[in-house]
Amino acid sequence: MQETQLFEQPWLFKRWQKNRGEIMYFIPNQSADLGSAEKQIQKSRNKQLRELFPDGFGIHHAGMLRQDRNLVENYFSRGHIKVLVCTATLAWGVNLPAHAVIIKGTQIYDAKRGSFVDLGILDVMQIFGRAGRPQFDKFGEGTIITAHDKLSHYLTLLTQQNPIESQFLDRLADNLNAEIALGTVTNVEEAVKWLSYTYLYVRIRANPIAYGINYKAYQMDPGLEKYRQELVIEAGHKLDQARMVRFEERTGYFSITDLGRTASHYYIHYNTIETFNELLGAHKTEADIFALVSKAEEFEQIKVREEELEELDQLLCNYCELSVAGGVENTYGKVNILLQTYISHGELDSFSLISDSAYVAQNAARIVRALFEVCLRKRWPAMTYKLLNLCKIIDRRLWGWCNPLRQFSVLPGHVLSKLEEKKLTIDKMKDMRKDEIGHMLHHVNIGLKVKQCVHEIPSIAMEANIQPITRTVLRVRLTINPDFKWHDQTHGSVGEPWWIWVEDPVNDHIYHSEYFLLQKKQVVSKEAQLLVFTIPIFEPLPSQYYIRAVSDRWLGAEAVCIINFQNLILPERHPPHTELLDLQPLPINALGNREYEALYKFTHFNPIQTQIFHTVYHTDNNVLLGAPTGSGKTVAAELAIFRIFNKYPTSKAVYIAPLKALVRERVEDWKIRITEKLGKNVVELTGDVTPDMKAIKEADLIVTTPEKWDGISRSWQNRSYVQKVAILIIDEIHLLGDERGPVLEVIVSRTNFISSHTESPVRIVGLSTALANAKDLADWLGIKQNGLFNFRPSVRPVPLEVHMHGFPGQHYCPRMATMNKPTFQAIRSHSPSKPVLIFVSSRRQTRLTALDLIAFLAAEEDPKQWLHMDEREMSDIIEMVKDSNLKLTLAFGIGLHHAGLHERDRKHVEELFVNCKIQVLIATSTLAWGVNFPAHLVVVKGTEYYDGKTKRYVDFAITDVLQMMGRAGRPQFDDQGKAVILVHDIKKDFYKKFLYEPFPVESSLLEVLADHMNAEISAGTVSSKQDAMDYITWTYFFRRLIMNPSYYNLDDINHENMNKYLSNLVEKSLADLESSYCISVMEDNRSLQSLDLGRIASYYYLKHPTVSMFKKKMNADCHVEDLLSVLTEATEYADLPVRHNEDQLNSELAKRLPLEVSPHSFDSAHTKAHLLLQAHFCRASLPSPDYATDTKSVLDQSIRICQAMLDVAANNGWLVTALNIINLIQMVIQGRWVHDSSFLTLPNIEQQHLYLFRKCNAGGKKSSSKGYRGPVECLPELIAACEWREDIFHSIVAEELQPTQISQAWNFLSHLPVIEVSLSIKGWWENAPKGKNEILLPNVNTGLRDEKNWTQLHADQEYLLQVNLRRIGLARNKGKYNSKATTPRFTKAKDEGWVVILGEIDKKELLALKRVGYVRNRSTISLAFFSPEVTGRYIYTLYLMNDSYLGMDQQYDIYLDVIAASIAAQVNTEVSDAMSDLAVA
């Protein structure tokens, strides 16, 4: 008899076969592994299986354990089981073919209908499909045993092909909800279209009658539009009723609710949501929650079987800790019992119960998670807490009252039971020693293991600092300190997730909640994390709020922090805004100057400009103008500048803008309008552009950044042009509250200080967005009431309509993706043909957003509707574009704009957008400040960005969002602007409040007070502790301290408290500076003295921890590699962004670079800076375009840090270190290693070309009598060999390079500074003839010790070494003078310069150092030095080091024969008048 699969009971069949004596047909064939199979089967807990197997029978159904099912499947396929009796599901689940298949009975029980139904034809076909084993049989046999009346039905179905009908209608509501949540369906029209993509639609059209559509209706509506619409509307009403979506039938629009999103995310049926709506409340017990979960529709198919009732009763008594509603007779009662039994690790006997229990456990975890999110969104603290605990109880299978150590499998059960008996809590055990725990448990050795587990339970300590922003909004700064030991086996390798929320116990409400991931690295390094968020407060003030942190995975891991409002002082109420008066617009001829009038294209000033005109143009009053973006504040600045030109033509105006891009924009505009048309000098002064002193002295208008002007005005006593400034215009002065705000604060404080000392008042004009506390700002700026104009945010030349949408989701990237469809719809509805600006947080987001928009466009009739120019013209432009993503997006009329684009690409995009050739521009947030591109519609897609420092997504400052919105509405084209803001839903309330009500500006000076204090002490402005106190009273911080003391942690504003607070502040700052070796406090404990490191920090604009680090890490013998580490450790690089996943890129990059870095620090900004500089020297390819921008910012800072390091080395007299620092500067500027051949700095010359120079022996060529003969090994030798002639250079390299490449290389080579050096010593010699006080030194290259080379000096005398420099080769270079060095690899223009060092090699001592500027023709440098005190022979060495080129340095030995000096000489210590002016470095 062949192997058979029989689909029903095996017992009768077996007995019948025995009676007939045919049982031997089924007994398994004896074989080697039959014995082991029998042993395995006998171990099974399944009694029936054990009894049936020896006779060749097996059973298989879902109620069996997985391991038993596996055994049966295995032994059936091997032939040990001849007859397998199973349920119909096996046909689908497991591929077990047999020779014959018998279906015994065709009726199955349907739990949903509660009755028997016919087996579906699909099941029959699938079962019959198992008949016939391809490797053994030529044919298979299928038998169906059914009721007589069903026979023809099954015959027909088997012989005729029967189509599969769609079951989609049953779940239409749930699927529609998922699409709405995803954003793919937003209205009825789209839903109808979406249905046309389903299989349901295909079947309805093929077989309408099966779906209840009669023939007539189908004839009238062949596309089934109406039918689909009815289906959608019906489903929409269902969802609306369940509060999962908001459906407005009139407009046909769907909008998802939190409930709908949660249902979609956790795959919850809408009937279950309706049950939740009905039964869920803010105060339910755990038992109620279990009852509620058990009633979910997901458990409907679980049925209560008669044979299970007794076991369920036992389970209810033994394992259920909570009361069970509904008892054992109901489905929901059974579900509840099974869930509680599962948590209690209860033993189940019945196989059907085991199967049901697994199903219940899997689904309950998901449903409870959904309930948790629902309650969190409803802001119910008690329920949120209970449900989160319940999620963990189900996941961990552990009741909440058990000891949390039960979560560790390494601890034996009896130990855990003892812990619970002794009531030992985690906190108690933390304080106990391991042996104490061991003794208490009567098991000494287990103490260590328990102690380890106690310390592995996640635990955090929280500290909250509250700052009132206004009377209704509090900012909370929450510091989180991890307080547990990380173990990968316990915690994984990523992080521990926590939920943090702020609850009001009185009103039973959650005001803020967020998901927070504590990363492994932060736990291991015990690094404190800072969370900043805002919460509302109400008057009268509540007594306290709680901040609760609960672990997402661990029971018993939670922390509470109390926010107490006892000592909270709320800020003063803000004065009202300036009303916009209804004035007649002023014509521009009010300027009274034709030249000025010609600068403007308009004929009349706008209402704001009209109202402020008199004060700004006709008075010298200080002015603060607060008005929304786009209201013409730049014109106000120009009016103030014109007044200076009119009244004080010899004075200077300074315009400070916060970003280099803004400075550049202003300079480009004013170079045309003010320089060309008015003949006034405009000078740009930024980190990128530093003009020479002459240009600054001659400038009428200086446009600069805050940091640059701060650095310059620090030395105001020595700089006459700073004292000539008559007006200081600060744009975007509201950025005082930003991280760069302190610089603005210091500038204004210093300006007021300078004014009070020079008695020539400087006018200050501040421009900002609308402010809440403008009065404080005005008081500080010394502005009277008539100079304060603070208009409302709504006073815009073009009114602004703002739409706000909140999006849920803990994770940033998926949340951004869900915003793409709403962005597309916003464009379609608000600005179908006018310009649109979309702001995103990163370059990656510009690309992803553009690609999604293109995908949505592809579904439209005209995919290129946003391209407003001829496609062929656009193709020509696309060919010129370098960026591959931009090439793709421009074709669809979408531009990208971010710092990673090539300069030319950016210009193309800007031009196309400004001229409306492309309609949509997707830009990073910096564009909002950088360039003035107004659009009709602005979409702010997300208000967070990834902060590399904290490794988290943080919020944009409110000013940034206002600035972005301000770009909406173009005064000359629109009568209304539109802004759509898409935010994380938990931030929606905050943005709603402050986008319509101005944000108060607070000071952020405190964090950087020490650095600014150091600058003032170095400048001599502050010389005692009292001066430091007085200095603080000049600042804006002091004004705000009085107005909003709680913000700055001041409890009371009485005189004594205030003094104590300021005194502590000063003491702390001075202590920081003292520990960084920047200042010293004198013996009287009052006077302050600046030290060398402090002066260096102030001069080079460095933070004090940086110079402190120099002191600790630099020594007399630093190699270039050590110095590179010191350079990149500077605090200035701490802000270099390390973006998401860049630690992996850094790890890959490190493998390709010569110097090793710590493998544990790839996510450190300092390590990244180190790698970028190495890549710069190796000219290695970078892993992403972002790295090119990052390299630029690293190089920007590097030179001033290196120059400061050089000063430190010179101060300490470290010769080797100083020379290596200069080498490092050369490397940074030329982008080569110092040990590389200097030929490699020539453009287009690579390693493989060096043989050309080795081959070239100039001696072999014809050359003039003065020609250089010998091997060519360095650049000066190459220049000499070429005799300044391009044709000779051409002949050397022609075989490898193209003519254009040769010309570039020659251009570089011919501009190199070749300097001829002659030396002399000035001083006093005893027997020298009168009037002769100078001796010329022979030019001795190192190593030639001839007797006539020695120069006699007297011991212990001051002498002057004169170094005469003469540049050669320029005459042949057409006499062009250009002080700029050729630096193709360096980002900024760099002036060529030299460093002259006098040192003594034997002692490795630096005696004197002097920096020299560009040597145009001739230059003389004097170095003062003292001759040694002890007589004898000494060799000094003079180094002439170039600060821009590798390979151009020179060194000369100076042989000194020191003889004793007579008394007369010792008396005569005055050398010359010139010497008194010398400063010895």
Side-chain angles (χ1 to χ4, degrees), residues 262-263 265-268 276 289 293 361-377 383-384 386-396 497-499 501 515 550-555 810:
T262 306
H265 183 71
Y266 289 102
Y267 224 80
I268 308 284
F276 288 175
I289 296 169
V293 170
Q362 279 172 352
N363 285 283
R366 177 169 59 85
I367 294 166
V368 175
R369 272 279 164 195
L371 272 174
F372 160 68
E373 293 228 346
V374 168
C375 289
L376 187 66
R377 300 264 172 236
M383 282 299 277
T384 301
K386 281 177 189 166
L387 281 159
L388 182 53
N389 268 341
L390 209 53
C391 294
K392 297 186 285 187
I393 285 169
I394 296 171
D395 290 345
R396 295 275 179 181
W498 292 77
W499 286 95
W501 65 80
Y515 176 82
V550 184
S551 168
D552 187 57
R553 299 200 313 212
W554 288 81
L555 282 162
Q810 300 153 14

Side-chain angles (χ1 to χ4, degrees), residues 807-819 944 983-985:
F807 291 81
Q810 300 153 14
H811 303 294
Y812 177 81
C813 291
R815 193 166 63 241
M816 289 298 112
T818 57
M819 291 179 182
E944 301 139 296
V983 298
H984 191 183
D985 54 359

Side-chain angles (χ1 to χ4, degrees), residues 690-693 1229 1378-1383 1386 1388-1394 1412-1414 1442-1445:
T690 308
D692 56 19
M693 286 304 164
I1229 285 172
N1378 180 6
S1379 65
K1380 298 286 179 236
T1382 316
T1383 56
F1386 192 62
K1388 297 196 281 198
K1390 163 88 177 69
D1391 279 323
E1392 184 190 296
W1394 297 87
V1412 183
Y1414 173 68
N1442 191 285
D1443 72 355
S1444 304
Y1445 297 106

Side-chain angles (χ1 to χ4, degrees), residues 1017-1044:
I1017 296 169
S1018 301
T1021 319
V1022 170
S1023 57
S1024 69
K1025 289 185 178 178
Q1026 187 54 48
D1027 288 351
M1029 295 271 281
D1030 296 344
Y1031 169 74
I1032 288 179
T1033 61
W1034 284 88
T1035 60
Y1036 177 63
F1037 156 70
F1038 183 68
R1039 303 276 157 161
R1040 288 306 298 160
L1041 181 64
I1042 298 165
M1043 302 305 281
N1044 190 1

Side-chain angles (χ1 to χ4, degrees), residues 694-889:
K694 190 171 169 224
I696 297 177
K697 280 179 181 164
E698 290 173 1
D700 295 297
L701 172 57
I702 298 170
V703 186
T704 178
T705 53
E707 286 79 3
K708 200 72 186 173
W709 187 250
D710 180 24
I712 281 175
S713 63
R714 280 179 177 184
S715 318
W716 59 275
Q717 290 102 326
N718 314 335
R719 292 181 169 148
S720 57
Y721 59 86
V722 176
Q723 296 174 26
K724 278 193 179 166
V725 171
I727 185 169
L728 192 63
I729 300 168
I730 303 177
D731 199 0
E732 316 291 359
I733 199 168
H734 54 267
L735 292 180
L736 265 177
D738 203 50
E739 59 182 333
R740 293 171 65 205
V743 185
L744 288 175
E745 202 167 321
V746 168
I747 290 171
V748 175
S749 304
R750 188 179 297 128
T751 304
N752 289 336
F753 191 84
I754 295 170
S755 297
S756 68
H757 279 65
T758 57
E759 292 176 4
S760 56
V762 179
R763 184 184 193 191
I764 294 177
V765 174
L767 308 174
S768 93
T769 58
L771 297 162
N773 53 344
K775 184 80 174 66
D776 297 340
L777 204 49
D779 288 348
W780 171 61
L781 293 170
I783 293 168
K784 310 283 183 293
Q785 193 55 44
N786 61 357
L788 172 58
F789 299 96
N790 183 35
F791 299 100
R792 301 173 183 284
S794 54
V795 178
R796 290 171 46 100
V798 180
L800 183 63
E801 181 185 299
V802 183
H803 301 265
M804 242 180 158
H805 304 288
F807 291 81
Q810 300 153 14
H811 303 294
Y812 177 81
C813 291
R815 193 166 63 241
M816 289 298 112
T818 57
M819 291 179 182
N820 289 333
K821 185 75 186 276
T823 302
F824 181 69
Q825 275 158 340
I827 298 171
R828 269 181 39 184
S829 53
H830 297 304
S831 182
S833 57
K834 291 181 177 177
V836 179
L837 255 178
I838 302 173
F839 286 111
V840 294
S841 65
S842 65
R843 297 166 201 188
R844 183 168 174 269
Q845 278 300 326
T846 59
R847 185 181 78 245
L848 295 178
T849 307
L851 294 177
D852 263 18
L853 290 179
I854 290 171
F856 296 136
L857 281 172
E860 299 282 304
E861 284 172 19
D862 176 12
K864 302 220 168 169
Q865 54 190 278
W866 294 345
L867 181 65
H868 303 307
M869 65 187 289
D870 187 64
E871 282 192 42
R872 281 166 307 187
E873 274 181 63
M874 180 50 94
S875 303
D876 297 342
I877 292 172
I878 287 173
E879 275 177 27
M880 295 190 281
V881 168
K882 290 189 173 179
D883 189 275
S884 57
N885 294 310
L886 193 56
K887 280 176 186 284
L888 169 67
T889 62

Side-chain angles (χ1 to χ4, degrees), residues 420-431:
E420 283 167 354
E421 264 173 51
K422 305 265 185 193
K423 295 199 166 71
L424 282 178
T425 63
I426 296 296
D427 291 336
K428 267 190 202 165
M429 285 188 281
K430 271 191 178 171
D431 299 333

